[in-house]
Amino acid sequence: MEITPPWVCRRYDMARQGKRCPLHFVPNITFGHPVVESLRKQLGQDPFFDMHMMVSRPEQWVKPMAVAGAKQYTFHLEATENPGALIKDIRENRMKVGLAIKPGTTVEYLAPWANQIDMALVMTVEPGFGGQTFMEDMMPKVHWLRTQFPTLDIEVDGGVGPDTVHKCAEAGANMIVSGSAHYEDCDQLVKECLLRSCSEAIP
């Protein structure tokens, strides 16, 4: 299982080595492609930068993020009218594709695109602010995705901590974003994940 601490600053988003991103889609804001470019220069090519783009027009930031050094571009299904074209554009810019859904979006809405993406992100809080309560009722979405698409990377983001991480793993998630809990109780969270490895949680 992969655990990611998000970099929640104020305006765009970075993940897997940083994460969180707004601009109209959510009220909070973080940093954009100039920061990504700077980090890439400082850290080299090894870090995997997954951009969780919580923006209202994700199409316009594909090229800038690719040029800056992003490795994966994760957009919200609710934020675009043409997911297929956006997936194609991301691929053409040599990035992996992540597709996120908010709590109010049914998992079946994501299903038609599941074979065209690298990662599905199930939000377990309303996007935009840290420190929210984990929505356990989102776990059936994770389980359904794991059952229907066994090889797909499935990420959970929002309110995940030592008391909830095992629920994500058991449902089928193999990638976890943990913000507040990671920084407040990192040792306990890592211990919990090690005790409940993906091999135990996913057949």
Side-chain angles (χ1 to χ4, degrees):
M1 173 173 288
E2 183 171 330
I3 309 171
T4 304
W7 288 342
V8 186
C9 296
R10 297 278 136 84
R11 185 166 198 144
Y12 271 114
D13 181 12
M14 287 195 76
R16 203 89 60 91
Q17 287 290 4
K19 200 163 190 149
R20 197 72 41 219
C21 167
L23 197 58
H24 299 80
F25 188 73
V26 298
N28 207 13
I29 23 187
T30 53
F31 38 79
H33 56 277
V35 176
V36 179
E37 182 178 8
S38 177
L39 287 168
R40 180 61 73 200
K41 289 177 180 178
Q42 293 295 319
L43 300 175
Q45 294 303 310
D46 287 341
F48 188 96
F49 292 157
D50 168 23
M51 316 311 300
H52 179 185
M53 302 300 295
M54 288 184 271
V55 297
S56 58
R57 290 181 292 166
E59 294 84 358
Q60 67 179 324
W61 305 110
V62 173
K63 187 70 173 180
M65 286 299 185
V67 172
K71 295 290 184 67
Q72 179 166 295
Y73 194 94
T74 299
F75 67 95
H76 272 262
L77 188 54
E78 304 90 352
T80 181
E81 295 182 356
N82 195 339
L86 182 49
I87 290 169
K88 182 174 183 291
D89 190 25
I90 295 168
R91 294 278 187 218
E92 289 176 349
N93 278 275
R94 300 183 179 182
M95 292 184 291
K96 290 186 174 183
V97 181
L99 186 55
I101 54 172
K102 296 168 64 176
T105 301
T106 64
V107 71
E108 289 80 7
Y109 188 42
L110 182 150
W113 311 104
N115 289 318
Q116 300 180 40
I117 62 176
D118 298 287
M119 183 194 78
L121 168 55
V122 177
M123 295 295 297
T124 46
V125 297
E126 288 296 336
F129 295 95
Q132 297 182 61
T133 301
F134 175 78
M135 296 180 177
E136 188 175 349
D137 57 346
M138 296 298 107
M139 292 302 95
K141 293 183 181 181
V142 176
H143 178 71
W144 188 89
L145 283 169
R146 179 56 65 207
T147 302
Q148 299 297 315
F149 307 98
T151 62
L152 182 65
D153 278 337
I154 302 173
E155 183 174 84
V156 171
D157 183 357
V160 182
D163 296 331
T164 54
V165 65
H166 64 282
K167 297 176 182 178
C168 302
E170 289 168 355
N174 64 311
M175 301 175 69
I176 300 292
V177 175
S178 180
S180 300
H182 184 97
Y183 293 114
E184 292 170 2
D185 200 358
C186 182
D187 290 341
Q188 185 177 350
L189 180 63
V190 171
K191 181 179 179 181
E192 185 75 16
C193 283
L194 289 173
L195 289 173
R196 299 177 180 274
S197 65
C198 287
S199 61
E200 295 174 326
I202 305 171

